[in-house]
Amino acid sequence: MQYNAPATLTFSLLCLFVLFLDFITDGNSTVKLFCVYRSSWSDPLSYIRIFTHVLGHADFSHLTGNLVLMLVVGPALEERYGSGNMWWAIIVTALVSGIIQCLFFPDSALMGASGIVFMMIIISSLGGMRGGIPITLILVFIIYIGGEIYSGITTHDNISQITHIVGGICGAIMGIGMRMRGRR
């Protein structure tokens, strides 16, 4: 056995551990530490939740939906860009989505790794970039972001389409940045 994608595997194991904590604390650990929502900035946990909300999941089905895609896409990204870059991409995406949640959606809470997954999907679609913007990136971005905008307008469910969009935008920006740094 080989621990071939340290960032992806460690992130996945942390998510599993957080779900286990959720189970044994009857959801209290998730509400206090792994779910972001607007609260007083004088509460030190507010700052922690901005980053840790990506580890919390509502249930095993929610977790597996995110982890399956992450475990498919993540190892190739780590091989191409390195584990350190992937950790930074995860941290930045968590930060941006957490701040946006607190600023613009005061009446709801957010948890889950779907923004991270969609960041990874967009970065992976940059794989064929060789001097121009790949058509695959444009298509993935239009289909994905367009679908999320449409879903956000037409459906009222417990899925945060804005987090998916933020993850996709973070993925595009960081993916292009990593590709440009790699060329120098």
Side-chain angles (χ1 to χ4, degrees):
M1 292 177 57
Q2 180 184 9
Y3 205 72
N4 62 319
T8 302
L9 290 170
T10 302
F11 184 87
S12 299
L13 290 171
L14 287 170
C15 289
L16 279 168
F17 177 72
V18 167
L19 189 63
F20 174 73
L21 272 179
D22 180 78
F23 178 73
I24 63 173
T25 65
D26 197 29
N28 290 317
S29 62
T30 300
V31 171
K32 297 258 189 238
L33 296 171
F34 304 107
C35 174
V36 69
Y37 44 87
R38 185 180 286 182
S39 61
S40 171
W41 291 110
S42 64
D43 177 6
L45 294 179
S46 295
Y47 301 97
I48 293 169
R49 286 189 295 264
I50 283 180
F51 294 99
T52 60
H53 71 277
V54 296
L55 300 172
H57 289 81
D59 54 33
F60 192 70
S61 176
H62 182 209
L63 175 65
T64 57
N66 284 328
L67 290 191
V68 167
L69 285 169
M70 185 178 295
L71 291 169
V72 168
V73 176
L77 292 177
E78 283 192 64
E79 186 174 318
R80 182 176 202 115
Y81 300 111
S83 298
N85 282 327
M86 292 317 301
W87 273 120
W88 277 111
I90 290 168
I91 290 167
V92 167
T93 302
L95 174 67
V96 172
S97 62
I99 289 172
I100 287 174
Q101 177 68 27
C102 289
L103 292 177
F104 298 109
F105 302 96
D107 299 327
S108 64
L110 174 68
M111 71 172 127
S114 59
I116 305 300
V117 170
F118 289 109
M119 171 268 295
M120 288 181 165
I121 289 169
I122 296 297
I123 290 176
S124 71
S125 69
L126 289 166
M129 191 170 163
R130 301 211 189 339
I133 298 173
I135 291 175
T136 54
L137 171 65
I138 294 168
L139 291 173
V140 166
F141 205 80
I142 289 171
I143 292 167
Y144 169 68
I145 299 295
E148 291 302 309
I149 291 170
Y150 177 78
S151 292
I153 293 170
T154 62
T155 59
H156 299 287
D157 52 20
N158 288 330
I159 298 172
S160 176
Q161 285 80 20
I162 193 70
T163 302
H164 298 167
I165 293 167
V166 167
I169 292 169
C170 286
I173 292 168
M174 289 184 287
I176 290 170
M178 286 187 283
R179 296 279 305 176
M180 295 182 110
R181 274 195 324 266
R183 283 196 194 144
R184 290 184 200 151

